[in-house]
Structure formats: C-alpha cells, structure tokens
Amino acid sequence: MLSSFYTAAQANARQAIASIDISHEYHQPIGEHSYVYHPEQPIQAIQARQLFQQGQFTRQNSPTINFGIGAEPTWIAVEFLNPNDKPTSRFFQIKNSWLNRIELYQFHQQAVTKVRILGDQYPFDQRADNGRYFNSMLMLPPGKSQLLLHIASPDPMVVPMYLLTHNQAADELEFESYTYGFIYGAITCLLIYNLMLFIGMRSISYLLYSLFLFSFLLMNLAYTGHGFRWFWSNTPMWQQWGLPLLMMTFNVFGLLFALRFLNIRQLYPRLHRLISTICIGFPGLFGLAYLFDDQVMALILAFDFMLLFSFLMLMLGFFAWRANMPNAKIFLLASVSSMLGTATTGLAVIGVIPYSNMTFRAGEVGLLIDVVLLALALANKFRISERDKLHAEYMAKTDPLTGLNNRRAFYQKTQQFIKASKADKSLVVVIIDIDHFKAINDNYGHQTGDKVLIAIAKQIQASQRQQDIAARWGGEEFIIVLPQTKMKAAQAIAEGIRQRISQLRFSADASDLAVTASIGLAYGHLRNTAFDELIEQADKQLYQAKSQGRNQTCPLIAQTA
C-alpha cells in the first residue's frame, strides 16, 4: 500500500510539472517555466532528474532566475513538449556572459541524450559556437524531454534563459549587433576626439575624461562578453577578475574627472579629500580580495562602489550647482542619467529588482547618455575658456574706454606690417590731440571728458580704412598709421577727422560744449626712415599745429620718394 501511495504521489508531482510547448514562440525569458533545486550535498545529474520528477524542485515565479552574488551551486530544470512527430531544433541561450561553469544535460525518457559543459572559466575557443552568451542548439525529440542545468559561479547568478527559433535568434543577433556597434562607435569617437584635445592642449581634464571613456568601453566589453570573444579569449582568469577590476577603474577615473572638472578642491576641500580617500580605499580593498582569491568579496566591493559612484557623482553635481559653477546643470543631468541606469542594472544583477533585457542594458543607456552629456559639458567649458582667453587677449590689446588699440597692440600690429612690407613701402603717421582737454576735465568733470574721448574715437574709426592702424596713444592723444598713402590723401583724411570733431557737441552744465583737435602728420619711406623717427616727426608737427593756434593740421614730408 505504501508503495502504491508513493507511486501515486510521484505521478501527481509529475503531472504538476508545467512543460514548455515548443510549437509556440517565446519572446521573453522562460524562467517562469523552470524549476530550481539547491542540494545540501553535491548530486549527480541522474539524481537531480529523479528529484525533479518527484516534485522536489521549486517552480520559479520570475521570468529570470536570479540568486545574486556568491550563490550556492544550483540545479535548474526545464521540461519541453514537442507535439510534432519528428525531432525539432531550438536555440537555447543563457543571456549573460559571466557564469563560471554550466553543466547542461538533456534527458529523453530514461536516457541522457546530450551533455555539454559551458562557462567563462574555460577558454573561449573551446565553445561550440562563437556567441558571447552561453548557447546550445537543442534537438528536441517528439513528446516530453527535460533539460537540467547545474550552475556554479561566484558572480551574480543571473540566469536569463531563452528558447528561440532560428529566425528569432537571427533577429536578436542583428539587433544587438547594430545597437552595440552604435554604442562602441560613439564611445570610440568621443575617446579619440578627447585624446586629440589632450595631446593638443595638455589639459588634465581631457586626459581624465579620456581614461573615463576608455575604462567604460573596457568595462562594457567585459560584462557583455564581447571582450572575452574578441580580445582575451584564452585568458579565463582575466574574464573572471577583469569585470570587477574595470568597474573599479571606471569609478575612480569618473570621480577624479568630476573633482577636477568641477573644481571641487577649491570649492569644497574636505569633500575633495573624502572622495580622494574613497578612490584609494575601494581599489585597496579590492587588491586584498585578489590576494586572498576572494572573488565574491571583489564582486561585492565592485558593485557597492558602482552604486556609491552614482550617488557621489550626483552629490558633486548638486554641490557644484549650488556654488553656481558653469556646466553644473549639465553635469547634474548626466549624473542623474548615470545613477538611474547604473542603479537599475546593478540592482537587477544582484537580484533586488526583476532582471530583464531592459534592466540589464539600462546601465549602458544611462552611462552612454552620461558620457555624451559630459562631453558636451567639457566642450562648453572649453568654449567658455577660449572665449575668456580671447576676451582677455582683446582687453590686453584694447583701450577699455574707446575700443581702439592700446599702445602695446599698436606696436605689435605696426611691427607685423613693417616686417611684411617691402623696403620701398611708404606710410603716413598721424597724431591727434584734443585741444584744451585738461580744462574740459577740470570744468565739466571726467565723465564728460570720457564722452569726448569716446566720440572722437568713433570719428577716427569711421574714417579708418581696412589697412589703417589706429590707437589711443596717451591720455587725450590718438595715433593713426596710413600705409601706402601719399601725403595729399593723408591730409584729406586728417582734415576730415578734424572737421567732424569740430562739429561735435556735448551737453555739459545746461550748455553745448564744442571741442577741437590739433593734428600732426609725417610722411616717409621705410627704406630710409625709421618708424619711430616718423612718430617723432609727427609729434613735432602736432606741437607746431598747437603753437599756430590749434584746431588745424600740420604736415611734414620727412623723406621724399
């Protein structure tokens, strides 16, 4: 009687197993159709199948099986139903790339029809196909068959299982090829561009940002499996330790870039010291985990640091925004994107939230938005820096009141002209002095005097030709160099300026103020007259004009042709 009761219970358990009907297409992970078992002691595949048939496995209620970091070795069972009268092939895929060891057993009736061992603890070349995930082509016989997997890995035990037709597998591969091609292409272009900027400008911000991009690229290659497939296929140890190490590296370079980009050392010295300590402390602890060969601890540190990194970047952006730092808003937006994406992927991988293709790739999307926004912020910072630099150069060469060249800029431009000129080129130097300007300042105030200077500078600019060089020479004096100009034409220009100045009127003490100017001119050839000598001659002619009654031009031909 006991025997018949046991047989009935076994039959009931067997009937309770939900089979996957392969006549349907499954676009989502098949975790909800799977069963798991955590043995206290190691068991063989035959024993695992018996326990599964006896109902000892627990059915999952989530599309993706996820037991987090450092989970114990686990058995997973899936039953397939092939309603056809002949074998049908399906593509079975575990859509992650970091599980250490996967033993795959396929049962039909009482026989094991297929055994495969997968995992990233083996060289990539040993795989039956070149897919970056753990793939197996199943030939499912008519009726019911079981697939049992034994998985052991210190990495996050995330098992997104898919059962795909050939067309589905091809479509998935094409979609991922395009999306990852876009991501890697965009990051590589940003990396090359910023490296070129660093080489050209020697700015540490561009170097740190380039290292941040490079570590992001390597980290992405590691956790997606592309790196194991393309670059380190024969070094399984690097595949297992590389991901947490690259996560650490990415976080460190990201924080160092943020500290420098946002000028945190000057704004918040204590915060700078705290984050610098974190950038040393976490890698130090990771080094200890590596020395003691504790991969679980290394992974916990890496994922904890990634979550902390997202929070710290957000905090740095907030403090910079509060301090009215330029580009802080863009940085803050980038940090929010990175934090949401990274947190979503991290929480999904360690099992806090449901794992799906969307949550798994949220980190990629968030970080891609982050690095693009940071690139825009860095470019904007460069633009502001260049604008300020150009403005500083302009102010260093420009008289701030009148907008004309100052004496320094005047000499630079004239020396450039003289060096570029042939020996037989001639020019005219014109010096203009405002008559009785001291009396204007004394009687009407410096504000009125400034208005007079500005108005006269405008008259000079209005008469200036493209090749002419004009500057404010001193307090109320202006100078103009007229290249390749005969004295007659220069006199006409100078007389025009003098007449327009005499027509100016300024409101001062409820009356109109009229001003006049005296002008001295000197003409010469560069081959036989020094430039400073022409200036001296023009200055003498200016005083000659003043001594003759002011409000007139006084020319001198220093050297004839």
Side-chain angles (χ1 to χ4, degrees):
M1 183 174 179
L2 288 174
S3 175
S4 61
F5 176 78
Y6 176 78
T7 303
Q10 184 179 17
N12 290 334
R14 183 76 181 84
Q15 291 174 0
I17 295 173
S19 303
I20 296 178
D21 187 344
I22 68 167
S23 63
H24 301 116
E25 289 189 359
Y26 295 86
H27 299 277
Q28 299 300 321
I30 59 174
E32 290 179 320
H33 302 275
S34 66
Y35 298 78
V36 300
Y37 182 73
H38 302 284
E40 295 181 359
Q41 299 293 332
I43 60 175
Q44 299 299 315
I46 298 295
Q47 295 173 277
R49 189 202 186 198
Q50 290 174 348
L51 292 171
F52 171 57
Q53 291 176 325
Q54 294 168 10
Q56 298 299 311
F57 279 52
T58 303
R59 184 170 180 177
Q60 293 299 290
N61 57 7
S62 173
T64 299
I65 297 172
N66 192 341
F67 296 117
I69 297 172
E72 294 297 325
T74 301
W75 282 94
I76 301 173
V78 183
E79 184 169 271
F80 301 109
L81 172 62
N82 181 3
N84 303 315
D85 57 0
K86 59 181 180 180
T88 304
S89 63
R90 286 290 183 269
F91 190 76
F92 179 77
Q93 181 179 76
I94 297 177
K95 207 169 186 177
N96 81 25
S97 61
W98 58 74
L99 298 173
N100 279 29
R101 181 180 174 88
I102 306 168
E103 300 172 14
L104 189 150
Y105 303 88
Q106 187 179 347
F107 290 88
H108 178 60
Q109 295 178 354
Q110 300 303 317
V112 179
T113 59
K114 185 167 187 175
V115 178
R116 288 197 63 190
I117 299 177
L118 307 169
D120 68 357
Q121 73 178 34
Y122 306 104
F124 192 89
D125 294 343
Q126 295 182 9
R127 298 190 182 186
D129 60 23
N130 64 350
R132 59 194 179 91
Y133 297 134
F134 303 116
N135 307 318
S136 180
M137 185 61 67
L138 302 180
M139 186 60 68
L140 301 173
K144 291 184 178 181
S145 59
Q146 297 83 38
L147 182 69
L148 268 71
L149 300 90
H150 184 241
I151 300 178
S153 182
D155 299 278
M157 193 175 286
V158 181
V159 192
M161 300 183 296
Y162 289 81
L163 188 69
L164 306 172
T165 65
H166 293 276
N167 289 336
Q168 284 179 298
D171 290 343
E172 285 280 330
L173 179 61
E174 183 178 23
F175 174 76
E176 291 189 350
S177 298
Y178 280 121
T179 55
Y180 279 112
F182 172 77
I183 291 172
Y184 294 147
I187 297 301
T188 302
C189 288
L190 282 173
L191 174 61
I192 294 173
Y193 175 71
N194 283 277
L195 276 175
M196 291 176 64
L197 288 176
F198 165 69
I199 294 171
M201 301 177 60
R202 302 296 180 184
S203 171
I204 299 299
S205 292
Y206 287 104
L207 175 61
L208 291 174
Y209 183 68
S210 298
L211 293 172
F212 175 61
L213 286 174
F214 186 59
S215 58
F216 169 70
L217 188 61
L218 289 179
M219 181 182 69
N220 192 277
L221 288 168
Y223 83 78
T224 60
H226 289 107
F228 195 31
R229 177 184 175 186
W230 294 334
F231 301 113
W232 51 84
S233 58
N234 292 316
T235 52
M237 183 177 180
W238 171 253
Q239 172 65 10
Q240 295 173 44
W241 283 93
L243 177 57
L245 176 61
L246 291 170
M247 291 170 68
M248 287 279 178
T249 306
F250 169 78
N251 295 336
V252 168
F253 283 132
L255 289 172
L256 292 178
F257 165 73
L259 291 176
R260 188 172 187 89
F261 178 76
L262 298 174
N263 200 26
I264 298 299
R265 184 192 292 272
Q266 283 71 36
L267 292 175
Y268 304 102
R270 291 184 180 179
L271 181 60
H272 184 275
R273 286 195 294 271
L274 172 63
I275 294 179
S276 298
T277 302
I278 291 172
C279 289
I280 296 172
F282 268 90
L285 293 173
F286 179 86
L288 290 176
Y290 178 76
L291 289 176
F292 289 99
D293 198 25
D294 192 340
Q295 193 176 352
V296 172
M297 180 55 65
L299 288 162
I300 291 173
L301 286 168
F303 278 98
D304 286 348
F305 194 15
M306 182 65 77
L307 294 174
L308 179 61
F309 163 79
S310 300
F311 170 76
L312 290 176
M313 292 289 276
L314 187 64
M315 183 179 70
L316 289 173
F318 172 77
F319 278 115
W321 171 73
R322 195 175 69 173
N324 295 319
M325 281 290 295
N327 299 306
K329 290 182 179 179
I330 300 178
F331 187 93
L332 194 58
L333 182 61
S335 300
V336 169
S337 170
S338 172
M339 183 191 70
L340 292 177
T342 304
T344 300
T345 296
L347 294 174
V349 168
I350 63 178
V352 177
I353 63 175
Y355 180 99
S356 67
N357 194 43
M358 182 176 295
T359 57
F360 174 67
R361 298 195 66 178
E364 294 175 1
V365 176
L367 288 171
L368 180 61
I369 296 172
D370 174 44
V371 297
V372 170
L373 288 175
L374 289 180
L376 292 175
L378 199 57
N380 189 52
K381 183 178 182 180
F382 172 72
R383 183 184 62 81
I384 293 173
S385 175
E386 286 299 297
R387 183 193 65 190
D388 292 343
K389 180 181 177 181
L390 290 173
H391 180 70
E393 291 177 354
Y394 172 78
M395 293 305 297
K397 298 178 180 179
T398 305
D399 176 61
L401 180 64
T402 63
L404 294 173
N405 294 308
N406 59 19
R407 186 178 287 229
R408 174 187 174 187
F410 173 78
Y411 270 115
Q412 287 179 347
K413 291 182 178 181
T414 53
Q415 288 304 313
Q416 291 172 1
F417 164 75
I418 292 171
K419 288 180 180 179
S421 299
K422 295 181 180 179
D424 63 346
K425 284 204 171 180
S426 61
L427 55 83
V428 176
V429 175
V430 180
I431 298 181
I432 304 170
D433 184 87
I434 304 173
D435 296 329
H436 305 297
F437 185 73
K438 184 177 183 303
I440 295 173
N441 278 334
D442 292 342
N443 297 329
Y444 302 101
H446 288 279
Q447 188 174 2
T448 301
D450 289 346
K451 290 180 180 179
V452 171
L453 290 170
I454 293 170
I456 292 177
K458 288 181 178 179
Q459 298 301 320
I460 293 173
Q461 289 172 326
S463 64
Q464 188 176 351
R465 301 168 303 176
Q466 184 177 2
Q467 70 270 26
D468 297 341
I469 304 171
R472 185 179 177 188
W473 192 239
E476 69 272 22
E477 285 188 342
F478 300 89
I479 190 169
I480 310 172
V481 171
L482 307 175
Q484 287 295 91
T485 306
K486 298 297 184 180
M487 179 58 81
K488 186 175 181 180
Q491 280 185 277
I493 293 172
E495 186 62 22
I497 294 173
R498 186 195 65 78
Q499 291 179 5
R500 286 193 295 273
I501 291 173
S502 65
Q503 295 170 2
L504 294 173
R505 296 294 182 270
F506 302 90
S507 177
D509 292 345
S511 61
D512 286 340
L513 171 65
V515 296
T516 60
S518 300
I519 303 176
L521 298 86
Y523 168 86
H525 282 279
L526 291 176
R527 67 166 179 256
N528 49 24
T529 306
F531 180 66
D532 287 338
E533 184 180 344
L534 285 176
I535 294 176
E536 184 179 350
Q537 293 292 342
D539 193 55
K540 289 181 179 180
Q541 295 305 115
L542 169 66
Y543 281 95
Q544 181 72 23
K546 284 184 173 292
S547 65
Q548 293 177 358
R550 292 186 171 83
N551 191 24
Q552 58 183 283
T553 60
C554 187
L556 171 71
I557 300 179
Q559 296 289 341
T560 59

